[in-house]
Structures are given as C-alpha cells and as structure tokens.
PDB file of all heavy atoms in Angstrom:
ATOM      1  N   HIS A 538     140.848 -46.006  88.542  1.00  0.00           N
ATOM      2  CA  HIS A 538     140.488 -45.609  89.911  1.00  0.00           C
ATOM      3  C   HIS A 538     139.171 -44.855  89.942  1.00  0.00           C
ATOM      4  O   HIS A 538     138.279 -45.147  90.746  1.00  0.00           O
ATOM      5  CB  HIS A 538     141.620 -44.746  90.492  1.00  0.00           C
ATOM      6  CG  HIS A 538     141.149 -43.677  91.430  1.00  0.00           C
ATOM      7  ND1 HIS A 538     140.823 -43.924  92.747  1.00  0.00           N
ATOM      8  CD2 HIS A 538     140.935 -42.337  91.221  1.00  0.00           C
ATOM      9  CE1 HIS A 538     140.428 -42.789  93.315  1.00  0.00           C
ATOM     10  NE2 HIS A 538     140.485 -41.820  92.429  1.00  0.00           N
ATOM     11  N   HIS A 539     139.026 -43.883  89.062  1.00  0.00           N
ATOM     12  CA  HIS A 539     137.858 -43.004  89.125  1.00  0.00           C
ATOM     13  C   HIS A 539     136.576 -43.715  88.714  1.00  0.00           C
ATOM     14  O   HIS A 539     135.515 -43.466  89.292  1.00  0.00           O
ATOM     15  CB  HIS A 539     138.083 -41.770  88.251  1.00  0.00           C
ATOM     16  CG  HIS A 539     137.138 -40.657  88.549  1.00  0.00           C
ATOM     17  ND1 HIS A 539     136.019 -40.413  87.794  1.00  0.00           N
ATOM     18  CD2 HIS A 539     137.125 -39.740  89.554  1.00  0.00           C
ATOM     19  CE1 HIS A 539     135.373 -39.379  88.298  1.00  0.00           C
ATOM     20  NE2 HIS A 539     136.011 -38.952  89.366  1.00  0.00           N
ATOM     21  N   ILE A 540     136.657 -44.592  87.727  1.00  0.00           N
ATOM     22  CA  ILE A 540     135.472 -45.364  87.345  1.00  0.00           C
ATOM     23  C   ILE A 540     134.932 -46.125  88.545  1.00  0.00           C
ATOM     24  O   ILE A 540     133.723 -46.098  88.836  1.00  0.00           O
ATOM     25  CB  ILE A 540     135.809 -46.333  86.193  1.00  0.00           C
ATOM     26  CG1 ILE A 540     136.017 -45.573  84.887  1.00  0.00           C
ATOM     27  CG2 ILE A 540     134.697 -47.368  86.009  1.00  0.00           C
ATOM     28  CD1 ILE A 540     136.498 -46.446  83.736  1.00  0.00           C
ATOM     29  N   VAL A 541     135.818 -46.788  89.263  1.00  0.00           N
ATOM     30  CA  VAL A 541     135.396 -47.621  90.395  1.00  0.00           C
ATOM     31  C   VAL A 541     134.906 -46.761  91.555  1.00  0.00           C
ATOM     32  O   VAL A 541     133.813 -46.987  92.102  1.00  0.00           O
ATOM     33  CB  VAL A 541     136.563 -48.527  90.848  1.00  0.00           C
ATOM     34  CG1 VAL A 541     136.204 -49.254  92.137  1.00  0.00           C
ATOM     35  CG2 VAL A 541     136.909 -49.526  89.752  1.00  0.00           C
ATOM     36  N   VAL A 542     135.671 -45.751  91.944  1.00  0.00           N
ATOM     37  CA  VAL A 542     135.348 -44.970  93.139  1.00  0.00           C
ATOM     38  C   VAL A 542     134.119 -44.099  92.920  1.00  0.00           C
ATOM     39  O   VAL A 542     133.252 -43.991  93.803  1.00  0.00           O
ATOM     40  CB  VAL A 542     136.561 -44.127  93.564  1.00  0.00           C
ATOM     41  CG1 VAL A 542     136.191 -43.176  94.700  1.00  0.00           C
ATOM     42  CG2 VAL A 542     137.701 -45.033  93.997  1.00  0.00           C
ATOM     43  N   GLN A 543     134.021 -43.477  91.747  1.00  0.00           N
ATOM     44  CA  GLN A 543     132.867 -42.615  91.500  1.00  0.00           C
ATOM     45  C   GLN A 543     131.574 -43.434  91.451  1.00  0.00           C
ATOM     46  O   GLN A 543     130.545 -43.022  91.982  1.00  0.00           O
ATOM     47  CB  GLN A 543     133.050 -41.854  90.178  1.00  0.00           C
ATOM     48  CG  GLN A 543     132.100 -40.684  90.005  1.00  0.00           C
ATOM     49  CD  GLN A 543     132.516 -39.449  90.791  1.00  0.00           C
ATOM     50  OE1 GLN A 543     133.690 -39.087  90.805  1.00  0.00           O
ATOM     51  NE2 GLN A 543     131.578 -38.801  91.452  1.00  0.00           N
ATOM     52  N   THR A 544     131.627 -44.602  90.832  1.00  0.00           N
ATOM     53  CA  THR A 544     130.459 -45.476  90.819  1.00  0.00           C
ATOM     54  C   THR A 544     130.077 -45.874  92.240  1.00  0.00           C
ATOM     55  O   THR A 544     128.889 -45.867  92.606  1.00  0.00           O
ATOM     56  CB  THR A 544     130.743 -46.740  89.987  1.00  0.00           C
ATOM     57  OG1 THR A 544     131.100 -46.371  88.659  1.00  0.00           O
ATOM     58  CG2 THR A 544     129.520 -47.650  89.947  1.00  0.00           C
ATOM     59  N   THR A 545     131.067 -46.217  93.054  1.00  0.00           N
ATOM     60  CA  THR A 545     130.811 -46.617  94.437  1.00  0.00           C
ATOM     61  C   THR A 545     130.138 -45.505  95.222  1.00  0.00           C
ATOM     62  O   THR A 545     129.179 -45.743  95.977  1.00  0.00           O
ATOM     63  CB  THR A 545     132.125 -47.021  95.124  1.00  0.00           C
ATOM     64  OG1 THR A 545     132.805 -47.996  94.336  1.00  0.00           O
ATOM     65  CG2 THR A 545     131.862 -47.586  96.500  1.00  0.00           C
ATOM     66  N   LEU A 546     130.600 -44.280  95.046  1.00  0.00           N
ATOM     67  CA  LEU A 546     130.011 -43.158  95.779  1.00  0.00           C
ATOM     68  C   LEU A 546     128.562 -42.916  95.362  1.00  0.00           C
ATOM     69  O   LEU A 546     127.711 -42.608  96.209  1.00  0.00           O
ATOM     70  CB  LEU A 546     130.846 -41.896  95.559  1.00  0.00           C
ATOM     71  CG  LEU A 546     132.110 -41.797  96.412  1.00  0.00           C
ATOM     72  CD1 LEU A 546     133.006 -40.670  95.931  1.00  0.00           C
ATOM     73  CD2 LEU A 546     131.756 -41.599  97.883  1.00  0.00           C
ATOM     74  N   PHE A 547     128.263 -43.055  94.086  1.00  0.00           N
ATOM     75  CA  PHE A 547     126.875 -42.870  93.649  1.00  0.00           C
ATOM     76  C   PHE A 547     125.982 -44.004  94.150  1.00  0.00           C
ATOM     77  O   PHE A 547     124.813 -43.788  94.470  1.00  0.00           O
ATOM     78  CB  PHE A 547     126.804 -42.747  92.132  1.00  0.00           C
ATOM     79  CG  PHE A 547     126.940 -41.337  91.633  1.00  0.00           C
ATOM     80  CD1 PHE A 547     128.139 -40.866  91.139  1.00  0.00           C
ATOM     81  CD2 PHE A 547     125.865 -40.474  91.673  1.00  0.00           C
ATOM     82  CE1 PHE A 547     128.264 -39.568  90.687  1.00  0.00           C
ATOM     83  CE2 PHE A 547     125.977 -39.166  91.234  1.00  0.00           C
ATOM     84  CZ  PHE A 547     127.185 -38.705  90.734  1.00  0.00           C
ATOM     85  N   LEU A 548     126.509 -45.217  94.210  1.00  0.00           N
ATOM     86  CA  LEU A 548     125.738 -46.311  94.797  1.00  0.00           C
ATOM     87  C   LEU A 548     125.490 -46.039  96.281  1.00  0.00           C
ATOM     88  O   LEU A 548     124.378 -46.270  96.790  1.00  0.00           O
ATOM     89  CB  LEU A 548     126.474 -47.640  94.621  1.00  0.00           C
ATOM     90  CG  LEU A 548     126.583 -48.180  93.191  1.00  0.00           C
ATOM     91  CD1 LEU A 548     127.360 -49.499  93.179  1.00  0.00           C
ATOM     92  CD2 LEU A 548     125.217 -48.375  92.555  1.00  0.00           C
ATOM     93  N   ALA A 549     126.512 -45.552  96.985  1.00  0.00           N
ATOM     94  CA  ALA A 549     126.340 -45.202  98.396  1.00  0.00           C
ATOM     95  C   ALA A 549     125.315 -44.081  98.555  1.00  0.00           C
ATOM     96  O   ALA A 549     124.518 -44.084  99.509  1.00  0.00           O
ATOM     97  CB  ALA A 549     127.684 -44.795  99.006  1.00  0.00           C
ATOM     98  N   ALA A 550     125.320 -43.126  97.635  1.00  0.00           N
ATOM     99  CA  ALA A 550     124.310 -42.060  97.677  1.00  0.00           C
ATOM    100  C   ALA A 550     122.908 -42.634  97.500  1.00  0.00           C
ATOM    101  O   ALA A 550     121.943 -42.151  98.112  1.00  0.00           O
ATOM    102  CB  ALA A 550     124.600 -41.016  96.601  1.00  0.00           C
ATOM    103  N   GLY A 551     122.789 -43.678  96.666  1.00  0.00           N
ATOM    104  CA  GLY A 551     121.500 -44.351  96.522  1.00  0.00           C
ATOM    105  C   GLY A 551     121.041 -44.995  97.820  1.00  0.00           C
ATOM    106  O   GLY A 551     119.852 -44.969  98.158  1.00  0.00           O
ATOM    107  N   LEU A 552     121.997 -45.557  98.575  1.00  0.00           N
ATOM    108  CA  LEU A 552     121.652 -46.131  99.879  1.00  0.00           C
ATOM    109  C   LEU A 552     121.222 -45.039 100.860  1.00  0.00           C
ATOM    110  O   LEU A 552     120.287 -45.226 101.644  1.00  0.00           O
ATOM    111  CB  LEU A 552     122.847 -46.892 100.445  1.00  0.00           C
ATOM    112  CG  LEU A 552     123.348 -48.106  99.646  1.00  0.00           C
ATOM    113  CD1 LEU A 552     124.518 -48.768 100.369  1.00  0.00           C
ATOM    114  CD2 LEU A 552     122.234 -49.114  99.412  1.00  0.00           C
ATOM    115  N   VAL A 553     121.908 -43.893 100.822  1.00  0.00           N
ATOM    116  CA  VAL A 553     121.531 -42.770 101.680  1.00  0.00           C
ATOM    117  C   VAL A 553     120.103 -42.328 101.378  1.00  0.00           C
ATOM    118  O   VAL A 553     119.302 -42.064 102.291  1.00  0.00           O
ATOM    119  CB  VAL A 553     122.514 -41.594 101.495  1.00  0.00           C
ATOM    120  CG1 VAL A 553     121.981 -40.330 102.174  1.00  0.00           C
ATOM    121  CG2 VAL A 553     123.890 -41.944 102.034  1.00  0.00           C
ATOM    122  N   GLU A 554     119.777 -42.263 100.093  1.00  0.00           N
ATOM    123  CA  GLU A 554     118.441 -41.829  99.696  1.00  0.00           C
ATOM    124  C   GLU A 554     117.364 -42.771 100.231  1.00  0.00           C
ATOM    125  O   GLU A 554     116.287 -42.336 100.628  1.00  0.00           O
ATOM    126  CB  GLU A 554     118.364 -41.731  98.175  1.00  0.00           C
ATOM    127  CG  GLU A 554     117.098 -41.084  97.653  1.00  0.00           C
ATOM    128  CD  GLU A 554     117.158 -40.797  96.179  1.00  0.00           C
ATOM    129  OE1 GLU A 554     117.972 -41.443  95.470  1.00  0.00           O
ATOM    130  OE2 GLU A 554     116.394 -39.929  95.703  1.00  0.00           O
ATOM    131  N   ARG A 555     117.656 -44.061 100.226  1.00  0.00           N
ATOM    132  CA  ARG A 555     116.675 -45.016 100.743  1.00  0.00           C
ATOM    133  C   ARG A 555     116.532 -44.897 102.261  1.00  0.00           C
ATOM    134  O   ARG A 555     115.430 -44.988 102.795  1.00  0.00           O
ATOM    135  CB  ARG A 555     117.083 -46.443 100.374  1.00  0.00           C
ATOM    136  CG  ARG A 555     117.045 -46.745  98.906  1.00  0.00           C
ATOM    137  CD  ARG A 555     117.183 -48.226  98.654  1.00  0.00           C
ATOM    138  NE  ARG A 555     115.987 -48.956  99.058  1.00  0.00           N
ATOM    139  CZ  ARG A 555     114.933 -49.150  98.291  1.00  0.00           C
ATOM    140  NH1 ARG A 555     114.900 -48.656  97.076  1.00  0.00           N
ATOM    141  NH2 ARG A 555     113.908 -49.841  98.739  1.00  0.00           N
ATOM    142  N   GLU A 556     117.643 -44.700 102.948  1.00  0.00           N
ATOM    143  CA  GLU A 556     117.605 -44.631 104.405  1.00  0.00           C
ATOM    144  C   GLU A 556     116.979 -43.339 104.914  1.00  0.00           C
ATOM    145  O   GLU A 556     116.277 -43.339 105.929  1.00  0.00           O
ATOM    146  CB  GLU A 556     119.028 -44.760 104.967  1.00  0.00           C
ATOM    147  CG  GLU A 556     119.683 -46.110 104.745  1.00  0.00           C
ATOM    148  CD  GLU A 556     119.095 -47.198 105.629  1.00  0.00           C
ATOM    149  OE1 GLU A 556     118.417 -46.855 106.624  1.00  0.00           O
ATOM    150  OE2 GLU A 556     119.314 -48.380 105.320  1.00  0.00           O
ATOM    151  N   ALA A 557     117.262 -42.223 104.202  1.00  0.00           N
ATOM    152  CA  ALA A 557     116.832 -40.911 104.697  1.00  0.00           C
ATOM    153  C   ALA A 557     115.684 -40.307 103.906  1.00  0.00           C
ATOM    154  O   ALA A 557     115.090 -39.325 104.354  1.00  0.00           O
ATOM    155  CB  ALA A 557     118.020 -39.950 104.693  1.00  0.00           C
ATOM    156  N   GLY A 558     115.392 -40.865 102.715  1.00  0.00           N
ATOM    157  CA  GLY A 558     114.331 -40.307 101.896  1.00  0.00           C
ATOM    158  C   GLY A 558     114.734 -39.101 101.092  1.00  0.00           C
ATOM    159  O   GLY A 558     113.894 -38.461 100.455  1.00  0.00           O
ATOM    160  N   SER A 559     115.999 -38.728 101.107  1.00  0.00           N
ATOM    161  CA  SER A 559     116.478 -37.549 100.393  1.00  0.00           C
ATOM    162  C   SER A 559     117.983 -37.651 100.228  1.00  0.00           C
ATOM    163  O   SER A 559     118.640 -38.446 100.916  1.00  0.00           O
ATOM    164  CB  SER A 559     116.114 -36.280 101.167  1.00  0.00           C
ATOM    165  OG  SER A 559     116.698 -35.129 100.583  1.00  0.00           O
ATOM    166  N   THR A 560     118.534 -36.822  99.332  1.00  0.00           N
ATOM    167  CA  THR A 560     119.986 -36.692  99.230  1.00  0.00           C
ATOM    168  C   THR A 560     120.429 -35.263  99.518  1.00  0.00           C
ATOM    169  O   THR A 560     121.569 -34.903  99.240  1.00  0.00           O
ATOM    170  CB  THR A 560     120.497 -37.118  97.840  1.00  0.00           C
ATOM    171  OG1 THR A 560     119.772 -36.405  96.827  1.00  0.00           O
ATOM    172  CG2 THR A 560     120.336 -38.612  97.629  1.00  0.00           C
ATOM    173  N   SER A 561     119.540 -34.461 100.061  1.00  0.00           N
ATOM    174  CA  SER A 561     119.875 -33.085 100.417  1.00  0.00           C
ATOM    175  C   SER A 561     120.557 -33.059 101.776  1.00  0.00           C
ATOM    176  O   SER A 561     119.998 -33.543 102.776  1.00  0.00           O
ATOM    177  CB  SER A 561     118.621 -32.213 100.447  1.00  0.00           C
ATOM    178  OG  SER A 561     118.920 -30.927 100.966  1.00  0.00           O
ATOM    179  N   ILE A 562     121.730 -32.463 101.850  1.00  0.00           N
ATOM    180  CA  ILE A 562     122.458 -32.425 103.117  1.00  0.00           C
ATOM    181  C   ILE A 562     121.829 -31.457 104.107  1.00  0.00           C
ATOM    182  O   ILE A 562     122.184 -31.462 105.293  1.00  0.00           O
ATOM    183  CB  ILE A 562     123.947 -32.071 102.890  1.00  0.00           C
ATOM    184  CG1 ILE A 562     124.088 -30.664 102.301  1.00  0.00           C
ATOM    185  CG2 ILE A 562     124.621 -33.114 102.030  1.00  0.00           C
ATOM    186  CD1 ILE A 562     125.526 -30.211 102.161  1.00  0.00           C
ATOM    187  N   THR A 563     120.897 -30.631 103.666  1.00  0.00           N
ATOM    188  CA  THR A 563     120.216 -29.711 104.573  1.00  0.00           C
ATOM    189  C   THR A 563     119.041 -30.371 105.286  1.00  0.00           C
ATOM    190  O   THR A 563     118.511 -29.811 106.244  1.00  0.00           O
ATOM    191  CB  THR A 563     119.704 -28.484 103.806  1.00  0.00           C
ATOM    192  OG1 THR A 563     118.689 -28.895 102.874  1.00  0.00           O
ATOM    193  CG2 THR A 563     120.830 -27.804 103.049  1.00  0.00           C
ATOM    194  N   ARG A 564     118.626 -31.531 104.839  1.00  0.00           N
ATOM    195  CA  ARG A 564     117.387 -32.129 105.340  1.00  0.00           C
ATOM    196  C   ARG A 564     117.575 -33.437 106.081  1.00  0.00           C
ATOM    197  O   ARG A 564     116.604 -33.990 106.610  1.00  0.00           O
ATOM    198  CB  ARG A 564     116.417 -32.366 104.172  1.00  0.00           C
ATOM    199  CG  ARG A 564     116.005 -31.096 103.457  1.00  0.00           C
ATOM    200  CD  ARG A 564     115.244 -31.410 102.189  1.00  0.00           C
ATOM    201  NE  ARG A 564     114.896 -30.178 101.487  1.00  0.00           N
ATOM    202  CZ  ARG A 564     114.479 -30.129 100.229  1.00  0.00           C
ATOM    203  NH1 ARG A 564     114.359 -31.254  99.552  1.00  0.00           N
ATOM    204  NH2 ARG A 564     114.183 -28.983  99.668  1.00  0.00           N
ATOM    205  N   ILE A 565     118.775 -33.974 106.104  1.00  0.00           N
ATOM    206  CA  ILE A 565     118.975 -35.278 106.742  1.00  0.00           C
ATOM    207  C   ILE A 565     120.178 -35.235 107.688  1.00  0.00           C
ATOM    208  O   ILE A 565     121.064 -34.397 107.551  1.00  0.00           O
ATOM    209  CB  ILE A 565     119.180 -36.407 105.700  1.00  0.00           C
ATOM    210  CG1 ILE A 565     120.308 -36.058 104.713  1.00  0.00           C
ATOM    211  CG2 ILE A 565     117.910 -36.693 104.958  1.00  0.00           C
ATOM    212  CD1 ILE A 565     120.550 -37.109 103.665  1.00  0.00           C
ATOM    213  N   GLY A 566     120.183 -36.148 108.625  1.00  0.00           N
ATOM    214  CA  GLY A 566     121.278 -36.249 109.579  1.00  0.00           C
ATOM    215  C   GLY A 566     121.113 -37.505 110.412  1.00  0.00           C
ATOM    216  O   GLY A 566     120.095 -38.199 110.353  1.00  0.00           O
ATOM    217  N   GLY A 567     122.127 -37.807 111.194  1.00  0.00           N
ATOM    218  CA  GLY A 567     122.049 -38.919 112.115  1.00  0.00           C
ATOM    219  C   GLY A 567     122.180 -40.298 111.508  1.00  0.00           C
ATOM    220  O   GLY A 567     121.889 -41.304 112.169  1.00  0.00           O
ATOM    221  N   LEU A 568     122.662 -40.388 110.261  1.00  0.00           N
ATOM    222  CA  LEU A 568     122.739 -41.707 109.619  1.00  0.00           C
ATOM    223  C   LEU A 568     123.860 -42.572 110.180  1.00  0.00           C
ATOM    224  O   LEU A 568     123.841 -43.791 110.002  1.00  0.00           O
ATOM    225  CB  LEU A 568     122.908 -41.555 108.097  1.00  0.00           C
ATOM    226  CG  LEU A 568     121.677 -41.125 107.307  1.00  0.00           C
ATOM    227  CD1 LEU A 568     121.951 -41.241 105.818  1.00  0.00           C
ATOM    228  CD2 LEU A 568     120.459 -41.942 107.683  1.00  0.00           C
ATOM    229  N   LEU A 569     124.829 -41.958 110.849  1.00  0.00           N
ATOM    230  CA  LEU A 569     125.883 -42.777 111.456  1.00  0.00           C
ATOM    231  C   LEU A 569     125.297 -43.692 112.521  1.00  0.00           C
ATOM    232  O   LEU A 569     125.718 -44.845 112.663  1.00  0.00           O
ATOM    233  CB  LEU A 569     126.960 -41.881 112.063  1.00  0.00           C
ATOM    234  CG  LEU A 569     128.141 -42.603 112.731  1.00  0.00           C
ATOM    235  CD1 LEU A 569     128.869 -43.495 111.729  1.00  0.00           C
ATOM    236  CD2 LEU A 569     129.104 -41.598 113.347  1.00  0.00           C
ATOM    237  N   ALA A 570     124.296 -43.201 113.238  1.00  0.00           N
ATOM    238  CA  ALA A 570     123.651 -44.006 114.271  1.00  0.00           C
ATOM    239  C   ALA A 570     122.625 -44.966 113.693  1.00  0.00           C
ATOM    240  O   ALA A 570     122.532 -46.118 114.115  1.00  0.00           O
ATOM    241  CB  ALA A 570     122.988 -43.094 115.298  1.00  0.00           C
ATOM    242  N   SER A 571     121.851 -44.486 112.703  1.00  0.00           N
ATOM    243  CA  SER A 571     120.754 -45.317 112.181  1.00  0.00           C
ATOM    244  C   SER A 571     121.198 -46.274 111.085  1.00  0.00           C
ATOM    245  O   SER A 571     120.575 -47.317 110.880  1.00  0.00           O
ATOM    246  CB  SER A 571     119.636 -44.416 111.643  1.00  0.00           C
ATOM    247  OG  SER A 571     120.112 -43.611 110.568  1.00  0.00           O
ATOM    248  N   ALA A 572     122.267 -45.940 110.365  1.00  0.00           N
ATOM    249  CA  ALA A 572     122.736 -46.795 109.269  1.00  0.00           C
ATOM    250  C   ALA A 572     124.260 -46.783 109.235  1.00  0.00           C
ATOM    251  O   ALA A 572     124.876 -46.242 108.308  1.00  0.00           O
ATOM    252  CB  ALA A 572     122.162 -46.314 107.933  1.00  0.00           C
ATOM    253  N   PRO A 573     124.907 -47.373 110.227  1.00  0.00           N
ATOM    254  CA  PRO A 573     126.383 -47.316 110.304  1.00  0.00           C
ATOM    255  C   PRO A 573     127.089 -47.962 109.119  1.00  0.00           C
ATOM    256  O   PRO A 573     128.149 -47.496 108.702  1.00  0.00           O
ATOM    257  CB  PRO A 573     126.696 -48.054 111.616  1.00  0.00           C
ATOM    258  CG  PRO A 573     125.488 -48.887 111.895  1.00  0.00           C
ATOM    259  CD  PRO A 573     124.331 -48.125 111.359  1.00  0.00           C
ATOM    260  N   LEU A 574     126.515 -49.029 108.562  1.00  0.00           N
ATOM    261  CA  LEU A 574     127.153 -49.674 107.412  1.00  0.00           C
ATOM    262  C   LEU A 574     127.164 -48.745 106.205  1.00  0.00           C
ATOM    263  O   LEU A 574     128.167 -48.652 105.487  1.00  0.00           O
ATOM    264  CB  LEU A 574     126.441 -50.982 107.078  1.00  0.00           C
ATOM    265  CG  LEU A 574     127.005 -51.773 105.890  1.00  0.00           C
ATOM    266  CD1 LEU A 574     128.490 -52.092 106.101  1.00  0.00           C
ATOM    267  CD2 LEU A 574     126.208 -53.053 105.661  1.00  0.00           C
TER     268      LEU A 574
END
C-alpha cells in the first residue's frame, strides 16, 4: 500500500510544482479552480 500511495503523492506534488511553480503551501493557492484534475 505505502509504496504505491507514497509514490502517487510525490508524483502529484510534481504536478503541483509545475502548475504553481512551487511546492510551498505558503506561496500557492487556488489550484482547485485552475487545475481540478
């Protein structure tokens, strides 16, 4: 379970970084509207 889920979350974090330009939760927001997938 953890191998699959942890890898998935880090891949999703990579997508967040591309969409927002950062992975800092203090500097980004609004991705539900701009990147719902």
